[in-house]
């Protein structure tokens, strides 16, 4: 549906943080779904239309780097905002790797809601809307 708000997939192994993000997105005019693992997110990407992904970088089943490498061809180019509280990003090394693999932006965790919402709006404004990753029309 052309008039539907963008659908954002939240990928985070912390259910409380995922619930918080879904609520924040819903309150700000987006539709949100979540996946508790990167593998579940990869399955969700194959099941329907997603306009943007917000993913944690450090997860137990698959880290953000492996997740980006595992995106199906139809999902390549999809805007991805990576969030991390990892001390490994202190010198920006993790950010550079994530950007090289296709992340639109890498943000520190925790971050102000306004900063996250601005990053989402910017990423969506510069990316084409998707009709569905599993559809051919």
């Amino acid at each position: 549906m052309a008039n539907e708000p963008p659908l954002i997939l939240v990928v985070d192994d912390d259910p409380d943080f995922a619930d918080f993000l879904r609520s924040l997105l819903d309150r700000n005019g987006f539709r949100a779904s979540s996946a508790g693992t990167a593998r579940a997110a990869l399955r969700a990407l194959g099941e329907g239309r997603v306009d943007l992904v917000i993913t944690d970088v450090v997860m137990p089943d698959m880290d953000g780097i492996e997740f980006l490498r595992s995106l199906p061809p139809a999902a390549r180019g999809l805007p991805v905002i990576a969030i991390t509280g990892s001390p490994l990003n202190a010198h920006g090394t993790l950010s550079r790797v994530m950007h090289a693999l296709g992340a639109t932006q890498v943000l520190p965790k925790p971050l102000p809601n306004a900063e996250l919402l601005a990053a989402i709006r910017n990423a969506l404004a510069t990316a084409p809307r998707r009709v569905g990753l599993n559809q051919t029309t």
Side-chain angles (χ1 to χ4, degrees):
M1 307 285 165
N3 294 331
E4 285 185 353
L7 176 61
I8 299 173
L9 176 62
V10 174
V11 187
D12 201 299
D13 60 309
D14 178 344
D16 293 332
F17 189 70
D19 287 346
F20 165 76
L21 281 181
R22 278 198 327 271
S23 176
L24 175 69
L25 294 168
D26 288 341
R27 288 191 319 267
N28 284 277
F30 301 104
R31 292 178 306 131
S33 64
S34 64
T37 67
R39 291 187 202 311
L42 291 170
R43 284 191 301 274
L45 286 170
E47 293 174 0
R49 191 187 119 232
V50 173
D51 296 295
L52 182 138
V53 175
I54 299 173
T55 184
D56 192 5
V57 174
V58 179
M59 296 179 283
D61 72 323
M62 179 187 301
D63 65 29
I65 293 169
E66 188 178 354
F67 173 67
L68 288 177
R69 285 182 177 152
S70 300
L71 288 176
R76 304 247 161 103
L78 182 69
V80 175
I81 296 174
I83 52 176
T84 183
S86 173
L88 296 175
N89 201 39
H91 299 288
T93 303
L94 187 56
S95 291
R96 286 191 295 278
V97 170
M98 295 297 288
H99 282 295
L101 292 172
T104 308
Q105 193 160 4
V106 180
L107 300 171
K109 194 183 195 184
L111 68 152
N113 294 349
E115 184 179 343
L116 176 59
L117 292 169
I120 291 167
R121 289 183 181 109
N122 183 54
L124 289 170
T126 59
R129 289 294 297 267
R130 300 205 171 233
V131 293
L133 298 176
N134 63 345
Q135 300 172 359
T136 57
T137 59

PDB file of all heavy atoms in Angstrom, residues 75-101:
ATOM      1  N   ALA A  75      17.846  -7.966  -0.628  1.00  0.00           N
ATOM      2  CA  ALA A  75      17.869  -6.994   0.475  1.00  0.00           C
ATOM      3  C   ALA A  75      19.099  -6.089   0.430  1.00  0.00           C
ATOM      4  O   ALA A  75      19.200  -5.156   1.217  1.00  0.00           O
ATOM      5  CB  ALA A  75      17.818  -7.717   1.814  1.00  0.00           C
ATOM      6  N   ARG A  76      20.012  -6.353  -0.477  1.00  0.00           N
ATOM      7  CA  ARG A  76      21.197  -5.499  -0.580  1.00  0.00           C
ATOM      8  C   ARG A  76      20.750  -4.117  -1.021  1.00  0.00           C
ATOM      9  O   ARG A  76      19.888  -3.970  -1.883  1.00  0.00           O
ATOM     10  CB  ARG A  76      22.198  -6.094  -1.552  1.00  0.00           C
ATOM     11  CG  ARG A  76      22.569  -7.505  -1.163  1.00  0.00           C
ATOM     12  CD  ARG A  76      23.999  -7.653  -0.720  1.00  0.00           C
ATOM     13  NE  ARG A  76      24.145  -8.881   0.053  1.00  0.00           N
ATOM     14  CZ  ARG A  76      24.673  -9.986  -0.401  1.00  0.00           C
ATOM     15  NH1 ARG A  76      25.112 -10.048  -1.627  1.00  0.00           N
ATOM     16  NH2 ARG A  76      24.783 -11.038   0.386  1.00  0.00           N
ATOM     17  N   GLY A  77      21.301  -3.096  -0.431  1.00  0.00           N
ATOM     18  CA  GLY A  77      20.887  -1.730  -0.721  1.00  0.00           C
ATOM     19  C   GLY A  77      19.796  -1.227   0.204  1.00  0.00           C
ATOM     20  O   GLY A  77      19.469  -0.050   0.199  1.00  0.00           O
ATOM     21  N   LEU A  78      19.220  -2.137   0.995  1.00  0.00           N
ATOM     22  CA  LEU A  78      18.228  -1.757   1.985  1.00  0.00           C
ATOM     23  C   LEU A  78      18.904  -0.884   3.035  1.00  0.00           C
ATOM     24  O   LEU A  78      19.989  -1.224   3.502  1.00  0.00           O
ATOM     25  CB  LEU A  78      17.657  -3.020   2.640  1.00  0.00           C
ATOM     26  CG  LEU A  78      16.564  -2.870   3.680  1.00  0.00           C
ATOM     27  CD1 LEU A  78      15.277  -2.381   3.030  1.00  0.00           C
ATOM     28  CD2 LEU A  78      16.312  -4.217   4.348  1.00  0.00           C
ATOM     29  N   PRO A  79      18.322   0.256   3.422  1.00  0.00           N
ATOM     30  CA  PRO A  79      18.959   1.070   4.457  1.00  0.00           C
ATOM     31  C   PRO A  79      19.068   0.291   5.773  1.00  0.00           C
ATOM     32  O   PRO A  79      18.099  -0.307   6.226  1.00  0.00           O
ATOM     33  CB  PRO A  79      18.037   2.268   4.624  1.00  0.00           C
ATOM     34  CG  PRO A  79      17.108   2.247   3.476  1.00  0.00           C
ATOM     35  CD  PRO A  79      17.077   0.851   2.948  1.00  0.00           C
ATOM     36  N   VAL A  80      20.260   0.307   6.352  1.00  0.00           N
ATOM     37  CA  VAL A  80      20.521  -0.381   7.610  1.00  0.00           C
ATOM     38  C   VAL A  80      21.187   0.605   8.559  1.00  0.00           C
ATOM     39  O   VAL A  80      22.219   1.188   8.222  1.00  0.00           O
ATOM     40  CB  VAL A  80      21.434  -1.609   7.422  1.00  0.00           C
ATOM     41  CG1 VAL A  80      21.781  -2.236   8.770  1.00  0.00           C
ATOM     42  CG2 VAL A  80      20.796  -2.631   6.490  1.00  0.00           C
ATOM     43  N   ILE A  81      20.587   0.775   9.719  1.00  0.00           N
ATOM     44  CA  ILE A  81      21.194   1.574  10.780  1.00  0.00           C
ATOM     45  C   ILE A  81      21.657   0.591  11.841  1.00  0.00           C
ATOM     46  O   ILE A  81      20.860  -0.165  12.396  1.00  0.00           O
ATOM     47  CB  ILE A  81      20.203   2.594  11.368  1.00  0.00           C
ATOM     48  CG1 ILE A  81      19.795   3.605  10.294  1.00  0.00           C
ATOM     49  CG2 ILE A  81      20.807   3.289  12.591  1.00  0.00           C
ATOM     50  CD1 ILE A  81      18.720   4.571  10.716  1.00  0.00           C
ATOM     51  N   ALA A  82      22.954   0.581  12.080  1.00  0.00           N
ATOM     52  CA  ALA A  82      23.538  -0.300  13.092  1.00  0.00           C
ATOM     53  C   ALA A  82      23.720   0.497  14.374  1.00  0.00           C
ATOM     54  O   ALA A  82      24.109   1.672  14.336  1.00  0.00           O
ATOM     55  CB  ALA A  82      24.877  -0.845  12.612  1.00  0.00           C
ATOM     56  N   ILE A  83      23.402  -0.127  15.484  1.00  0.00           N
ATOM     57  CA  ILE A  83      23.597   0.517  16.789  1.00  0.00           C
ATOM     58  C   ILE A  83      24.481  -0.385  17.637  1.00  0.00           C
ATOM     59  O   ILE A  83      24.346  -1.599  17.601  1.00  0.00           O
ATOM     60  CB  ILE A  83      22.256   0.817  17.489  1.00  0.00           C
ATOM     61  CG1 ILE A  83      21.368  -0.422  17.549  1.00  0.00           C
ATOM     62  CG2 ILE A  83      21.531   1.961  16.806  1.00  0.00           C
ATOM     63  CD1 ILE A  83      20.090  -0.235  18.309  1.00  0.00           C
ATOM     64  N   THR A  84      25.375   0.242  18.379  1.00  0.00           N
ATOM     65  CA  THR A  84      26.279  -0.571  19.184  1.00  0.00           C
ATOM     66  C   THR A  84      26.719   0.163  20.439  1.00  0.00           C
ATOM     67  O   THR A  84      26.932   1.370  20.428  1.00  0.00           O
ATOM     68  CB  THR A  84      27.526  -0.996  18.379  1.00  0.00           C
ATOM     69  OG1 THR A  84      28.321  -1.846  19.195  1.00  0.00           O
ATOM     70  CG2 THR A  84      28.347   0.191  17.914  1.00  0.00           C
ATOM     71  N   GLY A  85      26.827  -0.588  21.490  1.00  0.00           N
ATOM     72  CA  GLY A  85      27.396  -0.095  22.733  1.00  0.00           C
ATOM     73  C   GLY A  85      28.770  -0.708  22.939  1.00  0.00           C
ATOM     74  O   GLY A  85      29.355  -0.585  24.007  1.00  0.00           O
ATOM     75  N   SER A  86      29.287  -1.348  21.901  1.00  0.00           N
ATOM     76  CA  SER A  86      30.553  -2.065  22.009  1.00  0.00           C
ATOM     77  C   SER A  86      31.729  -1.123  22.191  1.00  0.00           C
ATOM     78  O   SER A  86      31.888  -0.163  21.443  1.00  0.00           O
ATOM     79  CB  SER A  86      30.777  -2.906  20.754  1.00  0.00           C
ATOM     80  OG  SER A  86      32.061  -3.482  20.782  1.00  0.00           O
ATOM     81  N   PRO A  87      32.597  -1.417  23.159  1.00  0.00           N
ATOM     82  CA  PRO A  87      33.814  -0.621  23.317  1.00  0.00           C
ATOM     83  C   PRO A  87      34.775  -0.816  22.147  1.00  0.00           C
ATOM     84  O   PRO A  87      35.698  -0.030  21.972  1.00  0.00           O
ATOM     85  CB  PRO A  87      34.418  -1.136  24.626  1.00  0.00           C
ATOM     86  CG  PRO A  87      33.833  -2.488  24.814  1.00  0.00           C
ATOM     87  CD  PRO A  87      32.477  -2.462  24.154  1.00  0.00           C
ATOM     88  N   LEU A  88      34.539  -1.834  21.329  1.00  0.00           N
ATOM     89  CA  LEU A  88      35.386  -2.054  20.156  1.00  0.00           C
ATOM     90  C   LEU A  88      35.249  -0.929  19.138  1.00  0.00           C
ATOM     91  O   LEU A  88      36.070  -0.798  18.240  1.00  0.00           O
ATOM     92  CB  LEU A  88      35.031  -3.385  19.484  1.00  0.00           C
ATOM     93  CG  LEU A  88      35.273  -4.634  20.316  1.00  0.00           C
ATOM     94  CD1 LEU A  88      34.755  -5.864  19.583  1.00  0.00           C
ATOM     95  CD2 LEU A  88      36.745  -4.787  20.631  1.00  0.00           C
ATOM     96  N   ASN A  89      34.209  -0.112  19.279  1.00  0.00           N
ATOM     97  CA  ASN A  89      33.993   0.982  18.337  1.00  0.00           C
ATOM     98  C   ASN A  89      34.643   2.278  18.805  1.00  0.00           C
ATOM     99  O   ASN A  89      34.463   3.320  18.186  1.00  0.00           O
ATOM    100  CB  ASN A  89      32.498   1.198  18.097  1.00  0.00           C
ATOM    101  CG  ASN A  89      32.243   1.935  16.805  1.00  0.00           C
ATOM    102  OD1 ASN A  89      32.914   1.704  15.811  1.00  0.00           O
ATOM    103  ND2 ASN A  89      31.288   2.835  16.814  1.00  0.00           N
ATOM    104  N   ALA A  90      35.433   2.231  19.861  1.00  0.00           N
ATOM    105  CA  ALA A  90      36.020   3.441  20.444  1.00  0.00           C
ATOM    106  C   ALA A  90      36.800   4.266  19.427  1.00  0.00           C
ATOM    107  O   ALA A  90      36.781   5.489  19.471  1.00  0.00           O
ATOM    108  CB  ALA A  90      36.919   3.075  21.620  1.00  0.00           C
ATOM    109  N   HIS A  91      37.478   3.631  18.501  1.00  0.00           N
ATOM    110  CA  HIS A  91      38.258   4.355  17.504  1.00  0.00           C
ATOM    111  C   HIS A  91      37.586   4.354  16.139  1.00  0.00           C
ATOM    112  O   HIS A  91      38.205   4.720  15.147  1.00  0.00           O
ATOM    113  CB  HIS A  91      39.663   3.756  17.397  1.00  0.00           C
ATOM    114  CG  HIS A  91      40.413   3.836  18.690  1.00  0.00           C
ATOM    115  ND1 HIS A  91      40.891   5.015  19.195  1.00  0.00           N
ATOM    116  CD2 HIS A  91      40.731   2.883  19.600  1.00  0.00           C
ATOM    117  CE1 HIS A  91      41.487   4.793  20.350  1.00  0.00           C
ATOM    118  NE2 HIS A  91      41.395   3.506  20.626  1.00  0.00           N
ATOM    119  N   GLY A  92      36.348   3.950  16.077  1.00  0.00           N
ATOM    120  CA  GLY A  92      35.595   3.968  14.832  1.00  0.00           C
ATOM    121  C   GLY A  92      35.861   2.801  13.904  1.00  0.00           C
ATOM    122  O   GLY A  92      35.326   2.762  12.796  1.00  0.00           O
ATOM    123  N   THR A  93      36.661   1.835  14.333  1.00  0.00           N
ATOM    124  CA  THR A  93      36.984   0.703  13.469  1.00  0.00           C
ATOM    125  C   THR A  93      35.735  -0.091  13.104  1.00  0.00           C
ATOM    126  O   THR A  93      35.514  -0.423  11.937  1.00  0.00           O
ATOM    127  CB  THR A  93      38.018  -0.218  14.146  1.00  0.00           C
ATOM    128  OG1 THR A  93      39.167   0.565  14.452  1.00  0.00           O
ATOM    129  CG2 THR A  93      38.400  -1.375  13.255  1.00  0.00           C
ATOM    130  N   LEU A  94      34.920  -0.402  14.086  1.00  0.00           N
ATOM    131  CA  LEU A  94      33.696  -1.152  13.842  1.00  0.00           C
ATOM    132  C   LEU A  94      32.783  -0.383  12.896  1.00  0.00           C
ATOM    133  O   LEU A  94      32.202  -0.956  11.975  1.00  0.00           O
ATOM    134  CB  LEU A  94      32.999  -1.451  15.168  1.00  0.00           C
ATOM    135  CG  LEU A  94      31.793  -2.363  15.137  1.00  0.00           C
ATOM    136  CD1 LEU A  94      32.118  -3.699  14.496  1.00  0.00           C
ATOM    137  CD2 LEU A  94      31.280  -2.577  16.554  1.00  0.00           C
ATOM    138  N   SER A  95      32.669   0.921  13.094  1.00  0.00           N
ATOM    139  CA  SER A  95      31.845   1.749  12.210  1.00  0.00           C
ATOM    140  C   SER A  95      32.330   1.669  10.767  1.00  0.00           C
ATOM    141  O   SER A  95      31.533   1.548   9.841  1.00  0.00           O
ATOM    142  CB  SER A  95      31.856   3.209  12.664  1.00  0.00           C
ATOM    143  OG  SER A  95      31.176   3.352  13.880  1.00  0.00           O
ATOM    144  N   ARG A  96      33.646   1.745  10.571  1.00  0.00           N
ATOM    145  CA  ARG A  96      34.187   1.682   9.206  1.00  0.00           C
ATOM    146  C   ARG A  96      33.865   0.339   8.551  1.00  0.00           C
ATOM    147  O   ARG A  96      33.508   0.279   7.372  1.00  0.00           O
ATOM    148  CB  ARG A  96      35.690   1.944   9.212  1.00  0.00           C
ATOM    149  CG  ARG A  96      36.028   3.414   9.436  1.00  0.00           C
ATOM    150  CD  ARG A  96      37.487   3.717   9.177  1.00  0.00           C
ATOM    151  NE  ARG A  96      38.403   3.058  10.097  1.00  0.00           N
ATOM    152  CZ  ARG A  96      38.715   3.496  11.311  1.00  0.00           C
ATOM    153  NH1 ARG A  96      38.173   4.609  11.768  1.00  0.00           N
ATOM    154  NH2 ARG A  96      39.558   2.838  12.069  1.00  0.00           N
ATOM    155  N   VAL A  97      33.986  -0.735   9.303  1.00  0.00           N
ATOM    156  CA  VAL A  97      33.672  -2.060   8.761  1.00  0.00           C
ATOM    157  C   VAL A  97      32.192  -2.141   8.414  1.00  0.00           C
ATOM    158  O   VAL A  97      31.827  -2.610   7.325  1.00  0.00           O
ATOM    159  CB  VAL A  97      34.072  -3.175   9.751  1.00  0.00           C
ATOM    160  CG1 VAL A  97      33.534  -4.528   9.303  1.00  0.00           C
ATOM    161  CG2 VAL A  97      35.578  -3.225   9.915  1.00  0.00           C
ATOM    162  N   MET A  98      31.330  -1.700   9.305  1.00  0.00           N
ATOM    163  CA  MET A  98      29.886  -1.761   9.055  1.00  0.00           C
ATOM    164  C   MET A  98      29.510  -0.919   7.838  1.00  0.00           C
ATOM    165  O   MET A  98      28.705  -1.343   7.010  1.00  0.00           O
ATOM    166  CB  MET A  98      29.108  -1.320  10.297  1.00  0.00           C
ATOM    167  CG  MET A  98      29.263  -2.233  11.496  1.00  0.00           C
ATOM    168  SD  MET A  98      28.634  -3.913  11.232  1.00  0.00           S
ATOM    169  CE  MET A  98      26.882  -3.603  11.230  1.00  0.00           C
ATOM    170  N   HIS A  99      30.079   0.269   7.701  1.00  0.00           N
ATOM    171  CA  HIS A  99      29.812   1.108   6.522  1.00  0.00           C
ATOM    172  C   HIS A  99      30.285   0.400   5.253  1.00  0.00           C
ATOM    173  O   HIS A  99      29.592   0.412   4.234  1.00  0.00           O
ATOM    174  CB  HIS A  99      30.499   2.468   6.654  1.00  0.00           C
ATOM    175  CG  HIS A  99      29.782   3.416   7.551  1.00  0.00           C
ATOM    176  ND1 HIS A  99      28.528   3.922   7.275  1.00  0.00           N
ATOM    177  CD2 HIS A  99      30.152   3.961   8.735  1.00  0.00           C
ATOM    178  CE1 HIS A  99      28.149   4.735   8.247  1.00  0.00           C
ATOM    179  NE2 HIS A  99      29.115   4.765   9.153  1.00  0.00           N
ATOM    180  N   ALA A 100      31.460  -0.212   5.297  1.00  0.00           N
ATOM    181  CA  ALA A 100      31.993  -0.906   4.131  1.00  0.00           C
ATOM    182  C   ALA A 100      31.086  -2.054   3.695  1.00  0.00           C
ATOM    183  O   ALA A 100      31.016  -2.379   2.505  1.00  0.00           O
ATOM    184  CB  ALA A 100      33.401  -1.429   4.425  1.00  0.00           C
ATOM    185  N   LEU A 101      30.365  -2.647   4.637  1.00  0.00           N
ATOM    186  CA  LEU A 101      29.455  -3.746   4.327  1.00  0.00           C
ATOM    187  C   LEU A 101      28.049  -3.278   3.981  1.00  0.00           C
ATOM    188  O   LEU A 101      27.170  -4.091   3.733  1.00  0.00           O
ATOM    189  CB  LEU A 101      29.405  -4.728   5.502  1.00  0.00           C
ATOM    190  CG  LEU A 101      30.702  -5.500   5.734  1.00  0.00           C
ATOM    191  CD1 LEU A 101      30.623  -6.292   7.025  1.00  0.00           C
ATOM    192  CD2 LEU A 101      31.000  -6.419   4.554  1.00  0.00           C
TER     193      LEU A 101
END
